[in-house]
Amino acid sequence: MVGGGRMDRVRRNSLLNLMALLLLAGILHLFGRYGTDYQIRILNNMAIFITLSVSYNLINGVCGILHLGPNAFIAIGAYTSAILTMSPMEKQMNYIIEPLMWPFSVLNAPFLIALLAGGVLATFFAFLVSFPVFRVRGDYLAIVTLGFGEVIRVLCNAFQGITNGPLGLKGLAPHTNLWWSWGVAAVTVVVISKLVNSSYGRAMKALREDETAARAMGIDPFKHLLTAFLISAFFSGIAGGLLAHLITTISPTLFTFFLTFNLLIMIVVGGLGSTTGAVIGAALFAWGGEALRIVEQPVQFAGLKIPGIPGMRMVVFSLILMIVIIFARHGIMGRHEFNWDWFFRGGNRAISSR
Amino acid sequence: MTPTIFLQQLINGISLGSLYGLVAIGYTMVYGILRLINFAHGDLLMFAAYTAIYCVTLFALPWYVSFPAAILMTGLMGILLDRAAYKPLRDAPRISLLISAIGASFLLENVALVVLGGVPKAFPRPPLFDQVISLWGLRIQVLTIYTPVITLSLLMGLLFIIYRTKAGKAMRAASKDFETTRLMGINLDRIIAVTFLLGSSLAAAGGIMWAMKYPQVNPFMGVFPGLKAFIAAVLGGIGNIVGAVIGGFLLGLGEILIVALLPQLAQYRDAFAFVILILVLLFRPTGIMGEPLTDKA
Amino acid sequence: MRFGGLAAVNDFSITLHPGELVGLIGPNGAGKTTVFNMITGAILATAGRIIWQGENITHLPLHAITARGIARTFQNIRLFSDLTALDNVMVSFHHKLRAHLWDAMLGLPAYRREEHRMREESLEILQEIGLAHLALEKAGALPYGRQRRLEIARALATRPKLLLLDEPAAGMNPQETMELVELLRDLRDKYSLTILLIEHDMKFVMRLCERIKVLDYGNSIAEGTPREIQSNPDVIKAYLGSQRHA
């Protein structure tokens, strides 16, 4: 089955991947130059959502574990990087109720370092919580992770000396541009795809399919779930940093369970367990989420003024989630992945494992 | 802290705890049979509170008609919830069921937001529950005393249904062994419907008392009571009805007393329940009344 | 290897010698699968000891026991149904993987070489077990008899010294069963395995096993060659007794 053309195919695919990346770069360049602010914002959102949903899918789709606390990792990444990039002056202006604690008050770092620090801190937090989290499974794990998400939100509100409490942080430098957001997204997709398609990814999928059987074949569940959890947290933390420096204002209300819910919609619609699906889901969400804003805005129609309806967008989102999960559980991609072989054979079954 | 204040807080804690317990029963019953955390259970509190408000204000019904009507409607809403969101997924992977539950919860909240608006509504508390009695220098709202009394009476009624009626027997059988019960020719859909009816009605009673206690009704009012009631159910040992009520009492008392004793922790109050949950899962995952928590293989 | 004094299994002890083909039989509910679960660490034995090559493995977790060379199949087939047959087998090689996580995440040659080797060896095992032509089918979509074989292939891929087979012939037709006898003998010789198996199909057991152990209500009641067992009065009684229940 491994034909003689295997090396040719590998070479062709690498070439095609490279070309796709160049094409993406070209498109980004054009938008960066001629795109409207609105288009650029959507594209930035899209890239950050892709990073988030692909790393979230690693836990929920590949390992088959319902983790409901990615908002905690995103929050940690956002706050860490924001505190690091703010100048001492901005810090004084922001922290009016309680001054920022030393040593945070004097720390300052370039954007890249700040992003990485956010990822590392999120990973560290994930490591701390992993012991209680992976003692349980199923619904319990869902609730425990949801709990951690909530606890982080409560802490963001309470630790005024670090997070500035409910006031949040304002006036962050708008470091995030198309290159940053899409660069991170590309790295995330490549690294996580490599992982998922490797022997480690196979072990994670085996744990998803049947944990007892996987253990009987020598797979250590804690080690592999922890690995996935930490990697996911790292990229979520970095995406949090990008998000903070895109919207330039963060507060605890940004990082509620609501954020997790949105990520859940993306990966369910795309197809739980498919990285390609997570990318598609995120792209659709970024675009559709903006398009749906119409339903919440007042409309002038034939002389009548129809007031906007707050909450309508969420009604639509929750309906989409439920309809997909009940009637089309496999989402858009199922557990299939895009690959060039599949592309060239016009949809014929391709060898999924390399 | 003076003994009087301590006693006052103790009573508050019992009152709050009995509400958690009442809501926890529904979680524990549904979990017992479907092995599902009914995420939307907390939102039934909100549904009950709004229904009660509209019965009183729109239809001008007296409270002793409105409240039972709201409870019944919420019970039916519970059945509808099961039919729409959970029944199609009985044979699906567990993760799908849970995702559907989360979707249902958001749907209920946001439909309420769209239809009823985000502005909190005042709950028309019947004057009967408004009275304040003074006792040994304590000033206690009668509602605070009624709450645990009502909870315990409802618990007695529920236990009667479960242990003395045929439907109850079938429910117990189903929660012990779902498949065998199905094979024995018991109509499981009916048993599940009864479970949702009972659990949701109790949540409704809890929701109405919650709305009288904190008379601000809004579309998201059920989220936190719901989560905490679930934690109470785990604390008491999931699947165990008496355990759920005991767990509720302990959680309510703990929340109130920890803030009373250490006021500087007040801002962490909402995190307290989760800390308890994590401790329980770490050290005694079967909860207080200890049935095993593992999935049925 | 030996152990004794267990919970659902009361008084049971067995010693396996390298290269043996031993059958474990007994009426339903006699505790046969429990014995497997305890050997592999799926259930922790409350009392008694399991000694493997001089090491006490009684309290080791499941995956650690597999790493020491004990593998099993499941009575109610537990394949990774959404993965291909090939991937099912490749999973079993993972615990021996030397390449680090980052080698895999970056697709470095150190990892790629190993992945290639795992793939070749998995295909070899599939070939041997007669499933090579189905390597890219999803495990859950295979017919029942093939799934049983795939379970054996998967267990074999962990490179065990002791193979525990829980009702390997269940649901197979007589011809498939006889093929299985040959296959298991070949595998034993080729990989110098020790095999302990649970089976209800007496013809299969009598034909394949060199030694048979009989378990009833958690107690071992007899042990011997197939011929000895067939004429043992206690065994006949246990089986007749259980037939009355059934």
Side-chain angles (χ1 to χ4, degrees), chain B residues 227-265:
Chain B
L227 276 175
K228 287 177 184 172
F230 171 74
I231 291 167
V234 175
L235 181 60
I238 196 106
N240 186 313
I241 290 171
V242 177
V245 176
I246 293 176
F249 275 119
L250 288 179
L251 187 64
L253 271 172
E255 262 192 0
I256 297 273
L257 289 183
I258 214 152
V259 173
L261 295 173
L262 304 160
Q264 66 271 31
L265 292 182

Side-chain angles (χ1 to χ4, degrees), chain C residues 108-201:
Chain C
L108 297 183
Y111 169 76
R112 289 222 300 270
R113 268 196 303 273
E114 259 192 291
E115 169 85 8
H116 185 73
R117 186 185 48 76
M118 285 180 352
R119 193 186 168 88
E120 296 300 314
E121 289 185 29
S122 299
L123 284 169
E124 224 169 87
I125 289 178
L126 283 174
Q127 181 82 46
E128 197 147 17
I129 223 113
L131 293 173
H133 59 298
L134 299 170
L136 296 185
E137 297 292 331
K138 280 202 173 157
L142 296 178
Y144 191 78
R146 299 267 158 94
Q147 291 198 5
R148 284 242 173 262
R149 280 181 169 236
L150 183 54
E151 277 241 345
I152 296 175
R154 187 178 67 171
L156 215 49
T158 65
R159 299 295 190 216
K161 299 187 188 77
L162 170 62
L163 185 58
L164 306 172
L165 303 173
D166 201 343
E167 301 196 21
M172 286 189 175
N173 62 37
Q175 199 209 327
E176 284 175 322
T177 310
M178 285 307 114
E179 283 168 15
L180 189 63
V181 171
E182 293 311 310
L183 176 70
L184 291 179
R185 280 216 181 103
D186 289 350
L187 291 178
R188 191 257 314 250
D189 296 341
K190 177 161 182 204
Y191 295 103
S192 38
L193 293 170
T194 308
I195 297 180
L196 175 65
L197 59 87
I198 296 172
E199 188 49 68
H200 282 295
D201 185 336

Side-chain angles (χ1 to χ4, degrees), chain A residues 259-283:
Chain A
L259 183 57
T260 298
F261 182 72
N262 288 345
L263 291 177
L264 198 59
I265 294 179
M266 294 175 213
I267 60 173
V268 166
V269 168
L272 268 181
S274 164
T275 304
T276 315
V279 172
I280 296 175

Side-chain angles (χ1 to χ4, degrees), chain A residues 55-210:
Chain A
S55 36
Y56 189 39
N57 180 58
L58 179 62
I59 309 290
N60 287 35
V62 177
C63 297
I65 271 176
L66 191 57
H67 156 45
L68 294 179
N71 52 324
F73 305 142
I74 304 168
I76 292 171
Y79 273 102
T80 308
S81 62
I83 289 171
L84 284 178
T85 59
M86 282 164 93
S87 67
M89 260 293 277
E90 287 169 321
K91 282 174 182 165
Q92 269 188 1
M93 278 163 63
N94 260 294
Y95 291 80
I96 37 179
I97 295 183
E98 205 174 306
L100 178 58
M101 242 157 77
W102 191 88
F104 305 108
S105 52
V106 292
L107 278 177
N108 198 272
F111 188 43
L112 177 66
I113 305 291
L115 282 182
L116 288 174
V120 168
L121 216 65
T123 314
F124 179 67
F125 174 76
F127 179 72
L128 288 186
V129 302
S130 62
F131 292 91
V133 163
F134 291 122
R135 269 186 69 107
V136 288
R137 291 289 184 275
D139 299 23
Y140 287 90
L141 192 146
I143 286 284
V144 172
T145 49
L146 176 77
F148 279 121
E150 280 301 314
V151 168
I152 283 293
R153 193 183 56 82
V154 170
L155 293 183
C156 283
N157 271 317
F159 283 169
Q160 294 209 337
I162 300 175
T163 63
N164 206 23
L167 290 178
L169 302 175
K170 295 190 183 66
L172 306 176
H175 287 303
T176 304
N177 58 25
L178 287 175
W179 298 108
W180 279 109
S181 61
W182 282 92
V184 168
V187 169
T188 310
V189 170
V190 169
V191 170
I192 289 188
S193 306
K194 285 261 186 222
L195 173 71
V196 169
N197 288 319
S198 76
S199 186
Y200 287 91
R202 210 156 34 227
M204 288 166 192
K205 290 179 202 161
L207 285 168
R208 169 189 75 198
E209 297 290 309
D210 188 329

